[in-house]
Amino acid sequence: MRTRPLKVALLGCGVVGSEVARIMTTHADDLAARIGAPVELAGVAVRRPDKVRGGVPAELITTDATALVKRGDIDVVVEVIGGIEPARTLITTAFEHGASVVSANKALLAQDGATLYAAAQQHGQDLYYEAAVAGAIPLIRPLRESLAGDKINRVMGIVNGTTNFILDKMDNSGAGYSEALDEATALGYAEADPTADVEGFDAAAKAAILAGIAFHTRVRLDDVYREGMTEVTAADFASAKQMGCTIKLLAICERAADGGSVTARVHPAMIPLSHPLASVREAYNAVFVEADAAGQLMFYGPGAGGAPTASAVLGDLVAVCRNKLNEATGPGESAYTQLPVSPMGDVVTRYHISLDVADKPGVLAQVATVFAEHGVSIDTVRQHGRQDGDGEASLVVVTHRAPDAALSGTVEALRKLDTVRGVASIMRVEGE
């Protein structure tokens, strides 16, 4: 074993960073044995130096992150501060000064991963980021290494624990969205401002990363179609149960049937209870992968939290340190296919549409005509009158698969019918 330690700089010492520092200290001997050399925490960059950080020696704390990554004796920089800047500049500076990087920064990788990859390649360094998607779940490395010889056609998953917790509570307790969100906040699953989670921004960043790796093409955050889940109601769950389904906020990345393009999207969807993702409970994550040779694979586990995310960071740290000892680098960017990302309107989906309609003869025929005019085939229809005798009925239509643009056009045309009082809910159906 080499006796000279590999030096690690840690950028950020919050929930995840503090766990990384703790594990590096308490498991130092094991890490050294697995790597083939000791690893030494050489500096920790923070914004608030006066904050008490148990287990981190005060002499390692600095507020000058730039100086830390420029030291020249740092072998690996672990970046867990998040955001776009200063993280992007710090990472590229680390490459320039001979350090490889382990990052958990999904937002930066989704927005400007190409720049980071290019800088890493230019300076002969590694860029690893297992912790950027799905916390402790081994996912990035299986996609870009274990399945590198296969053709991945679809990646569909639950990649945000907060939203899954909320939807799970709505499904199993009958709670409304606001009530379930309040419980998630009280338990620490939701931030004080949950917008990034419930509006799908967090999941969209992860979808961009997954699509890029799976399809060997560049997919940026702006390429990902996104819908939040704030409009999901208890009535939607009741409808889903009547279909033998539940509702999940899904990140879906697909290769077109002809192989000429890809899509990436995040939105709520009904999925059959028989699908493996339907049984994912509380704040857990799971990702379902479909490949030509491997078939169907599912990755499941805790998708967030200090210790689970730190586990993924340390796994990358071990791999990068091994590469350093062997004077080698791991896989870089694979974007050779250069496939275009199709807009959501071209995606072929199914819809569950709930309408409030006039309770009189001929309404169903009018609605069916609108679907036919837009080239959308109907799978099932359910209609029942209201017991309150207000002259209205509920009409639920489930479509066959059709281009999303055709389905959207159908809904707009339905709104213009005099006999349609309102569109109560619209939701896509996935996972057949």
Side-chain angles (χ1 to χ4, degrees), residues 225-282:
Y225 174 83
R226 177 192 55 79
E227 282 182 27
M229 48 156 281
T230 58
E231 301 300 319
V232 177
T233 66
D236 291 326
F237 275 101
S239 294
K241 287 180 179 179
Q242 290 180 346
M243 291 177 58
C245 293
T246 188
I247 299 171
K248 300 291 186 181
L249 184 75
L250 297 178
I252 304 172
C253 312
E254 293 178 303
R255 188 191 301 270
D258 63 4
S261 63
V262 299
T263 59
R265 51 195 166 104
V266 169
H267 54 73
M270 295 182 179
I271 58 172
L273 294 176
S274 58
H275 195 282
L277 291 176
S279 62
V280 178
R281 301 288 308 278
E282 304 221 331

Side-chain angles (χ1 to χ4, degrees), residues 149-295:
D150 208 339
K151 179 184 177 184
I152 298 173
N153 297 309
R154 196 171 200 236
V155 179
M156 179 172 76
I158 299 162
V159 295
N160 183 277
T162 299
T163 55
N164 199 59
F165 180 89
I166 293 170
L167 292 173
D168 184 53
K169 290 302 175 185
M170 292 177 69
D171 186 19
N172 289 286
S173 70
Y177 167 76
S178 296
E179 183 182 351
L181 173 59
D182 288 344
E183 183 175 353
T185 304
L187 292 172
Y189 291 122
E191 300 287 344
D193 180 1
T195 302
D197 294 324
V198 300
E199 294 294 352
F201 291 101
D202 176 84
K206 296 170 181 176
I209 295 170
L210 292 174
I213 297 171
F215 307 132
H216 304 279
T217 197
R218 285 180 180 169
V219 180
R220 300 180 72 251
L221 180 59
D222 292 344
D223 296 322
V224 181
Y225 174 83
R226 177 192 55 79
E227 282 182 27
M229 48 156 281
T230 58
E231 301 300 319
V232 177
T233 66
D236 291 326
F237 275 101
S239 294
K241 287 180 179 179
Q242 290 180 346
M243 291 177 58
C245 293
T246 188
I247 299 171
K248 300 291 186 181
L249 184 75
L250 297 178
I252 304 172
C253 312
E254 293 178 303
R255 188 191 301 270
D258 63 4
S261 63
V262 299
T263 59
R265 51 195 166 104
V266 169
H267 54 73
M270 295 182 179
I271 58 172
L273 294 176
S274 58
H275 195 282
L277 291 176
S279 62
V280 178
R281 301 288 308 278
E282 304 221 331
Y284 277 77
N285 284 192
V287 177
F288 200 72
V289 177
E290 299 176 27
D292 271 2

Side-chain angles (χ1 to χ4, degrees), residues 367-421:
V367 169
T369 297
V370 169
F371 278 89
E373 289 174 345
H374 287 79
V376 178
S377 177
I378 295 175
D379 183 13
T380 61
V381 177
R382 299 196 313 273
Q383 181 175 349
H384 57 86
R386 303 277 179 79
Q387 293 183 352
D388 54 16
D390 62 357
E392 290 190 2
S394 295
L395 180 65
V396 175
V397 179
V398 180
T399 73
H400 286 290
R401 291 169 64 83
D404 199 81
L407 290 162
S408 298
T410 302
V411 172
E412 290 307 307
L414 289 171
R415 296 182 192 274
K416 297 176 182 178
L417 290 178
D418 292 339
T419 51
V420 174
R421 308 298 192 224

